[in-house]
Amino acid sequence: MSNPAIALTADKDIMLPLEDVKDSTRKYVQEQDLTNPLVSPIYGNVKGLLPTLIQIGTAEGFLWDNRKFVQRLTEAQVDVQYEEYDEMFHVFALMPTLKEGKQALRSQLNFL
């Protein structure tokens, strides 16, 4: 959560406020290094990963790190399917009552 661009969408995510993420991170990580790939996969070795589907809403604080992660996957020649859903929030894909949730679920099934 160190990417300065996070501030651009931090107030939009109705499901996962930035301060809650930071609080949970402190509790989970405690004294560990924040760049440990087990804490934050963006710092890990992505070469050789299996095909990957990433779905993210544009109202998520994680949007910016996901874009960066997709770039790393692409550079490592990992087959990645990346989907952004306009104005969607964290875990929208688990909400089949939303048309975007239905679309994301269909995409997941097709990917598998």
Side-chain angles (χ1 to χ4, degrees):
M1 300 306 295
S2 61
N3 187 333
I6 289 169
L8 298 171
T9 52
D11 293 337
K12 291 183 174 184
D13 196 334
I14 61 172
M15 295 298 281
L16 198 58
L18 181 59
E19 287 309 310
D20 290 354
V21 172
K22 288 181 177 182
D23 185 51
S24 296
T25 299
R26 283 188 289 275
K27 289 176 183 173
Y28 175 74
V29 174
Q30 297 178 5
E31 301 300 318
Q32 294 181 60
D33 180 3
L34 291 173
T35 62
N36 178 335
L38 296 176
V39 172
S40 183
I42 200 166
Y43 297 107
N45 178 6
V46 298
K47 191 156 182 71
L49 284 180
L50 295 174
T52 303
L53 169 65
I54 296 176
Q55 297 174 317
I56 189 99
T58 62
E60 283 199 53
F62 294 122
L63 173 66
W64 307 97
D65 281 344
N66 272 268
R67 287 177 175 172
K68 183 177 177 181
F69 191 58
V70 167
Q71 183 179 2
R72 291 204 55 234
L73 292 169
T74 302
E75 289 169 355
Q77 298 179 337
V78 172
D79 181 15
V80 61
Q81 181 176 324
Y82 179 67
E83 301 171 0
E84 284 187 8
Y85 291 80
D86 193 40
E87 295 303 313
M88 286 293 103
F89 45 84
H90 192 68
V91 302
F92 76 93
L94 298 178
M95 299 181 179
T97 56
L98 297 173
K99 69 176 172 110
E100 293 87 351
K102 288 178 188 173
Q103 182 183 351
L105 180 57
R106 261 187 257 107
S107 181
Q108 292 166 22
L109 293 171
N110 290 335
F111 180 80
L112 293 173

mmCIF file of all heavy atoms in Angstrom, residues 84-110:
data_model
loop_
_atom_site.group_PDB
_atom_site.id
_atom_site.type_symbol
_atom_site.label_atom_id
_atom_site.label_comp_id
_atom_site.label_asym_id
_atom_site.label_seq_id
_atom_site.Cartn_x
_atom_site.Cartn_y
_atom_site.Cartn_z
ATOM 1 N N GLU A 84 -10.654 -4.953 -15.886
ATOM 2 C CA GLU A 84 -11.055 -3.876 -14.991
ATOM 3 C C GLU A 84 -12.546 -3.636 -15.162
ATOM 4 O O GLU A 84 -13.050 -3.614 -16.288
ATOM 5 C CB GLU A 84 -10.306 -2.580 -15.315
ATOM 6 C CG GLU A 84 -8.883 -2.575 -14.848
ATOM 7 C CD GLU A 84 -8.204 -1.231 -15.030
ATOM 8 O OE1 GLU A 84 -8.858 -0.221 -15.385
ATOM 9 O OE2 GLU A 84 -6.983 -1.185 -14.825
ATOM 10 N N TYR A 85 -13.227 -3.449 -14.042
ATOM 11 C CA TYR A 85 -14.660 -3.200 -14.055
ATOM 12 C C TYR A 85 -14.905 -1.789 -13.534
ATOM 13 O O TYR A 85 -14.550 -1.476 -12.387
ATOM 14 C CB TYR A 85 -15.384 -4.254 -13.201
ATOM 15 C CG TYR A 85 -15.332 -5.630 -13.833
ATOM 16 C CD1 TYR A 85 -14.205 -6.437 -13.719
ATOM 17 C CD2 TYR A 85 -16.410 -6.104 -14.573
ATOM 18 C CE1 TYR A 85 -14.153 -7.696 -14.309
ATOM 19 C CE2 TYR A 85 -16.377 -7.357 -15.160
ATOM 20 C CZ TYR A 85 -15.236 -8.145 -15.027
ATOM 21 O OH TYR A 85 -15.200 -9.379 -15.625
ATOM 22 N N ASP A 86 -15.492 -0.977 -14.373
ATOM 23 C CA ASP A 86 -15.684 0.442 -14.101
ATOM 24 C C ASP A 86 -16.464 0.686 -12.816
ATOM 25 O O ASP A 86 -17.563 0.141 -12.635
ATOM 26 C CB ASP A 86 -16.399 1.094 -15.297
ATOM 27 C CG ASP A 86 -16.355 2.598 -15.240
ATOM 28 O OD1 ASP A 86 -15.298 3.146 -14.863
ATOM 29 O OD2 ASP A 86 -17.368 3.230 -15.571
ATOM 30 N N GLU A 87 -15.876 1.473 -11.931
ATOM 31 C CA GLU A 87 -16.487 1.921 -10.680
ATOM 32 C C GLU A 87 -16.862 0.788 -9.724
ATOM 33 O O GLU A 87 -17.653 0.994 -8.809
ATOM 34 C CB GLU A 87 -17.713 2.808 -10.944
ATOM 35 C CG GLU A 87 -17.378 4.108 -11.630
ATOM 36 C CD GLU A 87 -16.372 4.961 -10.872
ATOM 37 O OE1 GLU A 87 -16.521 5.147 -9.652
ATOM 38 O OE2 GLU A 87 -15.416 5.433 -11.512
ATOM 39 N N MET A 88 -16.306 -0.388 -9.911
ATOM 40 C CA MET A 88 -16.597 -1.490 -8.999
ATOM 41 C C MET A 88 -15.628 -1.465 -7.821
ATOM 42 O O MET A 88 -14.511 -1.004 -7.924
ATOM 43 C CB MET A 88 -16.508 -2.840 -9.716
ATOM 44 C CG MET A 88 -17.676 -3.106 -10.647
ATOM 45 S SD MET A 88 -19.247 -3.315 -9.769
ATOM 46 C CE MET A 88 -20.010 -1.734 -10.053
ATOM 47 N N PHE A 89 -16.084 -1.984 -6.709
ATOM 48 C CA PHE A 89 -15.384 -1.984 -5.431
ATOM 49 C C PHE A 89 -14.848 -3.376 -5.130
ATOM 50 O O PHE A 89 -15.141 -4.346 -5.840
ATOM 51 C CB PHE A 89 -16.352 -1.521 -4.339
ATOM 52 C CG PHE A 89 -17.697 -2.176 -4.464
ATOM 53 C CD1 PHE A 89 -17.932 -3.428 -3.938
ATOM 54 C CD2 PHE A 89 -18.716 -1.548 -5.180
ATOM 55 C CE1 PHE A 89 -19.164 -4.052 -4.097
ATOM 56 C CE2 PHE A 89 -19.957 -2.153 -5.328
ATOM 57 C CZ PHE A 89 -20.175 -3.406 -4.789
ATOM 58 N N HIS A 90 -14.094 -3.498 -4.040
ATOM 59 C CA HIS A 90 -13.504 -4.769 -3.635
ATOM 60 C C HIS A 90 -14.588 -5.831 -3.467
ATOM 61 O O HIS A 90 -15.639 -5.557 -2.909
ATOM 62 C CB HIS A 90 -12.731 -4.568 -2.327
ATOM 63 C CG HIS A 90 -11.859 -5.723 -1.980
ATOM 64 N ND1 HIS A 90 -10.749 -6.050 -2.720
ATOM 65 C CD2 HIS A 90 -11.930 -6.620 -0.976
ATOM 66 C CE1 HIS A 90 -10.169 -7.103 -2.184
ATOM 67 N NE2 HIS A 90 -10.871 -7.472 -1.124
ATOM 68 N N VAL A 91 -14.355 -7.010 -3.946
ATOM 69 C CA VAL A 91 -15.209 -8.208 -3.900
ATOM 70 C C VAL A 91 -16.523 -8.090 -4.680
ATOM 71 O O VAL A 91 -17.434 -8.879 -4.480
ATOM 72 C CB VAL A 91 -15.477 -8.737 -2.460
ATOM 73 C CG1 VAL A 91 -14.198 -9.072 -1.751
ATOM 74 C CG2 VAL A 91 -16.339 -7.826 -1.639
ATOM 75 N N PHE A 92 -16.596 -7.159 -5.596
ATOM 76 C CA PHE A 92 -17.816 -7.031 -6.409
ATOM 77 C C PHE A 92 -18.134 -8.327 -7.146
ATOM 78 O O PHE A 92 -19.291 -8.650 -7.390
ATOM 79 C CB PHE A 92 -17.685 -5.884 -7.429
ATOM 80 C CG PHE A 92 -16.830 -6.247 -8.599
ATOM 81 C CD1 PHE A 92 -17.390 -6.767 -9.756
ATOM 82 C CD2 PHE A 92 -15.453 -6.107 -8.538
ATOM 83 C CE1 PHE A 92 -16.603 -7.133 -10.837
ATOM 84 C CE2 PHE A 92 -14.660 -6.461 -9.614
ATOM 85 C CZ PHE A 92 -15.228 -6.977 -10.756
ATOM 86 N N ALA A 93 -17.089 -9.078 -7.504
ATOM 87 C CA ALA A 93 -17.280 -10.300 -8.290
ATOM 88 C C ALA A 93 -18.013 -11.386 -7.505
ATOM 89 O O ALA A 93 -18.497 -12.349 -8.088
ATOM 90 C CB ALA A 93 -15.928 -10.830 -8.779
ATOM 91 N N LEU A 94 -18.117 -11.208 -6.195
ATOM 92 C CA LEU A 94 -18.844 -12.178 -5.367
ATOM 93 C C LEU A 94 -20.314 -11.809 -5.210
ATOM 94 O O LEU A 94 -21.029 -12.450 -4.438
ATOM 95 C CB LEU A 94 -18.188 -12.276 -3.980
ATOM 96 C CG LEU A 94 -16.743 -12.760 -3.969
ATOM 97 C CD1 LEU A 94 -16.201 -12.751 -2.547
ATOM 98 C CD2 LEU A 94 -16.629 -14.142 -4.589
ATOM 99 N N MET A 95 -20.738 -10.791 -5.932
ATOM 100 C CA MET A 95 -22.109 -10.305 -5.804
ATOM 101 C C MET A 95 -22.878 -10.537 -7.106
ATOM 102 O O MET A 95 -22.905 -9.680 -7.986
ATOM 103 C CB MET A 95 -22.099 -8.829 -5.428
ATOM 104 C CG MET A 95 -21.407 -8.597 -4.116
ATOM 105 S SD MET A 95 -21.420 -6.881 -3.667
ATOM 106 C CE MET A 95 -20.583 -6.973 -2.109
ATOM 107 N N PRO A 96 -23.514 -11.704 -7.221
ATOM 108 C CA PRO A 96 -24.215 -12.040 -8.465
ATOM 109 C C PRO A 96 -25.433 -11.162 -8.744
ATOM 110 O O PRO A 96 -26.004 -11.242 -9.827
ATOM 111 C CB PRO A 96 -24.612 -13.499 -8.269
ATOM 112 C CG PRO A 96 -24.647 -13.692 -6.801
ATOM 113 C CD PRO A 96 -23.615 -12.756 -6.225
ATOM 114 N N THR A 97 -25.835 -10.344 -7.786
ATOM 115 C CA THR A 97 -26.954 -9.441 -8.035
ATOM 116 C C THR A 97 -26.529 -8.233 -8.873
ATOM 117 O O THR A 97 -27.376 -7.531 -9.412
ATOM 118 C CB THR A 97 -27.569 -8.951 -6.716
ATOM 119 O OG1 THR A 97 -26.553 -8.349 -5.922
ATOM 120 C CG2 THR A 97 -28.198 -10.112 -5.955
ATOM 121 N N LEU A 98 -25.226 -8.019 -8.983
ATOM 122 C CA LEU A 98 -24.705 -6.945 -9.837
ATOM 123 C C LEU A 98 -24.419 -7.501 -11.222
ATOM 124 O O LEU A 98 -23.883 -8.606 -11.348
ATOM 125 C CB LEU A 98 -23.398 -6.383 -9.257
ATOM 126 C CG LEU A 98 -23.461 -5.719 -7.894
ATOM 127 C CD1 LEU A 98 -22.050 -5.389 -7.424
ATOM 128 C CD2 LEU A 98 -24.304 -4.453 -7.975
ATOM 129 N N LYS A 99 -24.724 -6.738 -12.250
ATOM 130 C CA LYS A 99 -24.431 -7.228 -13.603
ATOM 131 C C LYS A 99 -22.932 -7.439 -13.779
ATOM 132 O O LYS A 99 -22.507 -8.387 -14.440
ATOM 133 C CB LYS A 99 -25.002 -6.300 -14.674
ATOM 134 C CG LYS A 99 -24.347 -4.948 -14.784
ATOM 135 C CD LYS A 99 -24.934 -4.151 -15.943
ATOM 136 C CE LYS A 99 -24.405 -2.748 -15.918
ATOM 137 N NZ LYS A 99 -23.537 -2.312 -16.873
ATOM 138 N N GLU A 100 -22.116 -6.586 -13.145
ATOM 139 C CA GLU A 100 -20.664 -6.743 -13.241
ATOM 140 C C GLU A 100 -20.205 -8.008 -12.502
ATOM 141 O O GLU A 100 -19.269 -8.672 -12.941
ATOM 142 C CB GLU A 100 -19.949 -5.517 -12.649
ATOM 143 C CG GLU A 100 -20.160 -4.249 -13.427
ATOM 144 C CD GLU A 100 -21.411 -3.469 -13.022
ATOM 145 O OE1 GLU A 100 -22.239 -3.988 -12.235
ATOM 146 O OE2 GLU A 100 -21.564 -2.335 -13.496
ATOM 147 N N GLY A 101 -20.889 -8.340 -11.406
ATOM 148 C CA GLY A 101 -20.584 -9.569 -10.689
ATOM 149 C C GLY A 101 -20.876 -10.791 -11.535
ATOM 150 O O GLY A 101 -20.084 -11.739 -11.583
ATOM 151 N N LYS A 102 -22.007 -10.771 -12.230
ATOM 152 C CA LYS A 102 -22.360 -11.869 -13.140
ATOM 153 C C LYS A 102 -21.339 -11.982 -14.269
ATOM 154 O O LYS A 102 -20.909 -13.076 -14.630
ATOM 155 C CB LYS A 102 -23.748 -11.646 -13.736
ATOM 156 C CG LYS A 102 -24.871 -11.845 -12.768
ATOM 157 C CD LYS A 102 -26.204 -11.568 -13.432
ATOM 158 C CE LYS A 102 -27.313 -11.585 -12.410
ATOM 159 N NZ LYS A 102 -28.597 -11.180 -12.946
ATOM 160 N N GLN A 103 -20.965 -10.836 -14.827
ATOM 161 C CA GLN A 103 -19.990 -10.821 -15.923
ATOM 162 C C GLN A 103 -18.643 -11.377 -15.447
ATOM 163 O O GLN A 103 -18.016 -12.170 -16.150
ATOM 164 C CB GLN A 103 -19.823 -9.392 -16.430
ATOM 165 C CG GLN A 103 -18.872 -9.254 -17.587
ATOM 166 C CD GLN A 103 -18.695 -7.788 -18.012
ATOM 167 O OE1 GLN A 103 -19.394 -6.893 -17.557
ATOM 168 N NE2 GLN A 103 -17.743 -7.561 -18.885
ATOM 169 N N ALA A 104 -18.219 -10.977 -14.260
ATOM 170 C CA ALA A 104 -16.942 -11.447 -13.719
ATOM 171 C C ALA A 104 -16.985 -12.955 -13.480
ATOM 172 O O ALA A 104 -16.027 -13.662 -13.804
ATOM 173 C CB ALA A 104 -16.609 -10.707 -12.434
ATOM 174 N N LEU A 105 -18.087 -13.450 -12.928
ATOM 175 C CA LEU A 105 -18.224 -14.882 -12.693
ATOM 176 C C LEU A 105 -18.181 -15.665 -14.003
ATOM 177 O O LEU A 105 -17.504 -16.684 -14.119
ATOM 178 C CB LEU A 105 -19.511 -15.190 -11.929
ATOM 179 C CG LEU A 105 -19.770 -16.656 -11.614
ATOM 180 C CD1 LEU A 105 -18.621 -17.264 -10.814
ATOM 181 C CD2 LEU A 105 -21.081 -16.823 -10.882
ATOM 182 N N ARG A 106 -18.890 -15.174 -15.021
ATOM 183 C CA ARG A 106 -18.855 -15.827 -16.345
ATOM 184 C C ARG A 106 -17.420 -15.861 -16.869
ATOM 185 O O ARG A 106 -16.975 -16.887 -17.403
ATOM 186 C CB ARG A 106 -19.743 -15.084 -17.344
ATOM 187 C CG ARG A 106 -21.099 -15.727 -17.519
ATOM 188 C CD ARG A 106 -21.904 -15.088 -18.635
ATOM 189 N NE ARG A 106 -22.912 -14.212 -18.033
ATOM 190 C CZ ARG A 106 -22.904 -12.888 -18.021
ATOM 191 N NH1 ARG A 106 -21.970 -12.227 -18.619
ATOM 192 N NH2 ARG A 106 -23.845 -12.198 -17.417
ATOM 193 N N SER A 107 -16.706 -14.777 -16.700
ATOM 194 C CA SER A 107 -15.332 -14.709 -17.170
ATOM 195 C C SER A 107 -14.449 -15.697 -16.416
ATOM 196 O O SER A 107 -13.575 -16.355 -17.001
ATOM 197 C CB SER A 107 -14.788 -13.289 -17.005
ATOM 198 O OG SER A 107 -13.483 -13.200 -17.479
ATOM 199 N N GLN A 108 -14.687 -15.829 -15.109
ATOM 200 C CA GLN A 108 -13.915 -16.798 -14.312
ATOM 201 C C GLN A 108 -14.162 -18.213 -14.803
ATOM 202 O O GLN A 108 -13.224 -19.010 -14.952
ATOM 203 C CB GLN A 108 -14.304 -16.677 -12.834
ATOM 204 C CG GLN A 108 -13.879 -15.389 -12.191
ATOM 205 C CD GLN A 108 -14.572 -15.173 -10.860
ATOM 206 O OE1 GLN A 108 -15.043 -16.121 -10.214
ATOM 207 N NE2 GLN A 108 -14.655 -13.926 -10.427
ATOM 208 N N LEU A 109 -15.422 -18.541 -15.057
ATOM 209 C CA LEU A 109 -15.751 -19.874 -15.540
ATOM 210 C C LEU A 109 -15.116 -20.143 -16.905
ATOM 211 O O LEU A 109 -14.573 -21.235 -17.135
ATOM 212 C CB LEU A 109 -17.269 -20.061 -15.606
ATOM 213 C CG LEU A 109 -17.984 -20.083 -14.251
ATOM 214 C CD1 LEU A 109 -19.494 -20.043 -14.436
ATOM 215 C CD2 LEU A 109 -17.560 -21.296 -13.431
ATOM 216 N N ASN A 110 -15.166 -19.164 -17.788
ATOM 217 C CA ASN A 110 -14.540 -19.302 -19.102
ATOM 218 C C ASN A 110 -13.022 -19.467 -18.981
ATOM 219 O O ASN A 110 -12.410 -20.237 -19.716
ATOM 220 C CB ASN A 110 -14.867 -18.119 -20.001
ATOM 221 C CG ASN A 110 -16.308 -18.109 -20.441
ATOM 222 O OD1 ASN A 110 -16.964 -19.149 -20.497
ATOM 223 N ND2 ASN A 110 -16.822 -16.927 -20.748
#
